[in-house]
Amino acid sequence: MEDNRQQDTKTPKVHSWKEVHREKWLGLSQINWEDNKGRHRVWEAVTRTTKQTGVVDAVDIIAIVRKDGEEDRIVIISQFRPPTEKVCLEIPSGLVDAGETAEQAALRELKEETGYRGTVVGVSPDTCYEPGLTSATCAVVQVLIDGNLEENIHPVPEMEDGECIATRLVPLSQLLVTLNRLMREEGMTVDAKVWTLACGLNFAQSFPPRP
Amino acid sequence: MEDNRQQDTKTPKVHSWKEVHREKWLGLSQINWEDNKGRHRVWEAVTRTTKQTGVVDAVDIIAIVRKDGEEDRIVIISQFRPPTEKVCLEIPSGLVDAGETAEQAALRELKEETGYRGTVVGVSPDTCYEPGLTSATCAVVQVLIDGNLEENIHPVPEMEDGECIATRLVPLSQLLVTLNRLMREEGMTVDAKVWTLACGLNFAQSFPPRP
């Protein structure tokens, strides 16, 4: 691995947060911080008012249905998202409730949103999303679903009031072409995390193919 | 592809946005929208004050250095992000300037942040990130960098005042283990998009390996 790190004179650090506005779910803050040259600066960020300390805010769930004789299929959901004014293609996700672990939240949200029951096979370290915009953190939880079980052949979602989520199973090798088709034909948009996942699946061999 | 979409009685739609607070870079809005049952609801969202119409807000850049006789390597950057209070592992990214295309913004940002000069080989449709939180959109731009060229052997970043970005080249097959090592040993965090990209690269064959 090549390493081209610059020499920093100081370690950047945050001195204080000041909330300048708060609504029910979201708040805006000004962060007073010190950069690598020791200069004091201000950064704006959005926070979730539901934020707890010590656990991630949310889980994102890479859930795979494995069934005898079939290719592994990933669970993709779509729902109308007011901030985008479009139906968005995403992986199942949700906020972690008080007292829950990331694993528990992932299995609960997967069941609620899609009806599937699975087993956690991997949990990422705490990741961030849009670290220039928000303090929000999430864990990416990998869940394996036994597609041979009756409960997973006809899964029954348990959506909350106001939720309207559609579920699709997409063979891993078809994820990128399927996302493209749905965006083109049905005017949907896609979460960037799902897009990069599809890119990874697609160019695991080489990017783009060597001539 | 299995399809388990529910029957909606109505198409959800947004009626109006009302900005309830604005700082220099970010604003908070209440969105009045109508769900699939025709009920009027309110959603909170954060917006960038720099948002333009008709183009994506930002670009995320999957940049690959290809050099004779070597495995393809992805450009990973790290920088201190005040909202997370940590050094974050990300792919190069940036806001699209007025009048720029996504391709132009990607090549400019890549040069500024890392010094590399590349060629665009793919652009995603408009994607969203955290569509429950923000209206922000981005294009994922794939860039190929000729690692045999002198200008890409000793690339010179052109960072803006206040930016302090370190660049690493990571073989595609080593991305997941490298992210894990940096988080464990150096206390860094990682952008969820980069994590899902690494997951895709890793389990392109099977997830997890079939017994």
Side-chain angles (χ1 to χ4, degrees):
Chain A
M1 187 175 72
E2 288 182 21
D3 196 322
N4 186 30
R5 277 174 287 184
Q6 298 200 319
Q7 282 297 321
D8 295 352
T9 49
K10 292 181 179 250
T11 303
K13 57 175 175 280
V14 167
H15 289 297
S16 63
W17 288 67
K18 180 182 156 200
E19 189 171 71
V20 291
H21 189 80
R22 171 182 279 239
E23 294 290 318
K24 183 177 178 190
W25 298 100
L26 301 180
L28 274 187
S29 289
Q30 289 178 338
I31 304 170
N32 289 292
W33 69 293
E34 191 177 325
D35 71 12
N36 65 309
K37 295 190 172 67
R39 291 172 299 200
H40 287 261
R41 292 175 167 272
V42 175
W43 195 283
E44 295 173 12
V46 63
T47 54
R48 290 191 186 278
T49 58
T50 50
K51 192 168 186 66
Q52 305 168 54
T53 54
V55 293
V56 288
D57 297 300
V59 286
D60 280 274
I61 306 154
I62 300 180
I64 303 289
V65 176
R66 177 167 291 173
K67 198 172 176 182
D68 291 343
E70 296 194 9
E71 183 182 352
D72 287 347
R73 290 169 296 168
I74 182 169
V75 179
I76 297 293
I77 63 170
S78 56
Q79 60 185 318
F80 183 79
R81 291 291 208 172
T84 67
E85 302 196 24
K86 286 186 178 180
V87 173
C88 294
L89 293 156
E90 305 170 38
I91 51 179
S93 67
L95 297 177
V96 177
D97 287 346
E100 271 186 333
T101 64
E103 291 89 335
Q104 290 167 338
L107 294 178
R108 176 183 55 72
E109 286 285 351
L110 182 66
K111 181 77 175 72
E112 289 175 4
E113 293 189 345
T114 72
Y116 287 110
R117 290 181 191 275
T119 307
V120 172
V121 293
V123 182
S124 76
D126 295 2
T127 72
C128 53
Y129 45 62
E130 296 316 300
L133 181 73
T134 171
S135 62
T137 57
C138 72
V140 182
V141 182
Q142 299 179 358
V143 175
L144 188 61
I145 297 164
D146 184 345
N148 298 307
L149 298 181
E150 177 61 28
E151 64 190 8
N152 290 326
I153 292 173
H154 301 293
V156 181
E158 301 159 359
M159 280 175 238
E160 293 174 48
D161 184 45
E163 280 188 324
C164 180
I165 294 171
T167 302
R168 287 178 175 77
L169 300 186
V170 185
L172 285 177
S173 65
Q174 300 300 308
L175 183 56
L176 196 59
V177 294
T178 303
L179 296 176
N180 272 320
R181 185 179 61 73
L182 289 168
M183 284 187 277
R184 191 176 60 241
E185 295 177 3
E186 303 199 25
M188 295 179 178
T189 185
V190 64
D191 185 291
K193 280 191 300 282
V194 178
W195 184 265
T196 59
L197 175 65
C199 286
L201 287 163
N202 226 43
F203 58 74
Q205 302 301 318
S206 178
F207 160 91
R210 285 186 190 247
Chain B
M1 187 175 71
E2 286 181 20
D3 195 323
N4 185 30
R5 277 174 286 184
Q6 297 199 320
Q7 283 298 321
D8 295 351
T9 48
K10 293 183 180 247
T11 303
K13 56 175 176 280
V14 167
H15 288 299
S16 63
W17 288 66
K18 179 182 155 197
E19 189 171 71
V20 291
H21 189 80
R22 171 182 281 239
E23 294 289 320
K24 184 177 177 191
W25 298 100
L26 301 179
L28 274 188
S29 289
Q30 290 178 339
I31 305 170
N32 290 291
W33 69 293
E34 191 177 325
D35 72 12
N36 65 307
K37 294 190 173 66
R39 291 173 299 199
H40 288 262
R41 293 176 166 272
V42 175
W43 195 281
E44 293 173 13
V46 63
T47 54
R48 289 192 187 278
T49 58
T50 49
K51 193 169 185 66
Q52 305 168 55
T53 53
V55 293
V56 289
D57 298 300
V59 286
D60 280 273
I61 305 154
I62 300 179
I64 304 288
V65 176
R66 177 167 291 173
K67 198 171 175 181
D68 291 344
E70 296 194 10
E71 184 182 352
D72 288 347
R73 290 170 297 169
I74 183 169
V75 179
I76 297 294
I77 63 170
S78 55
Q79 60 185 319
F80 183 79
R81 291 292 209 170
T84 67
E85 301 195 26
K86 288 186 176 178
V87 173
C88 294
L89 294 157
E90 305 171 36
I91 50 178
S93 66
L95 297 177
V96 177
D97 287 344
E100 271 186 333
T101 64
E103 291 90 334
Q104 290 167 339
L107 294 178
R108 176 183 54 72
E109 285 285 352
L110 182 66
K111 182 76 176 68
E112 288 174 5
E113 293 189 346
T114 72
Y116 286 111
R117 290 181 191 275
T119 307
V120 173
V121 293
V123 181
S124 76
D126 295 2
T127 72
C128 53
Y129 46 61
E130 295 317 300
L133 181 73
T134 170
S135 62
T137 56
C138 73
V140 182
V141 181
Q142 299 179 357
V143 174
L144 188 60
I145 296 164
D146 184 346
N148 299 305
L149 298 181
E150 177 60 27
E151 64 189 10
N152 291 324
I153 293 173
H154 301 292
V156 181
E158 302 160 357
M159 280 175 240
E160 292 174 50
D161 185 45
E163 281 188 323
C164 180
I165 295 171
T167 302
R168 285 177 175 78
L169 299 187
V170 184
L172 284 177
S173 64
Q174 301 299 308
L175 184 56
L176 197 58
V177 293
T178 303
L179 297 175
N180 272 321
R181 185 179 61 73
L182 289 168
M183 284 187 277
R184 190 177 59 242
E185 295 178 2
E186 304 198 24
M188 295 180 179
T189 184
V190 63
D191 186 290
K193 279 191 300 283
V194 178
W195 184 265
T196 59
L197 176 64
C199 286
L201 286 164
N202 226 43
F203 56 74
Q205 303 300 319
S206 180
F207 160 91
R210 284 184 190 252

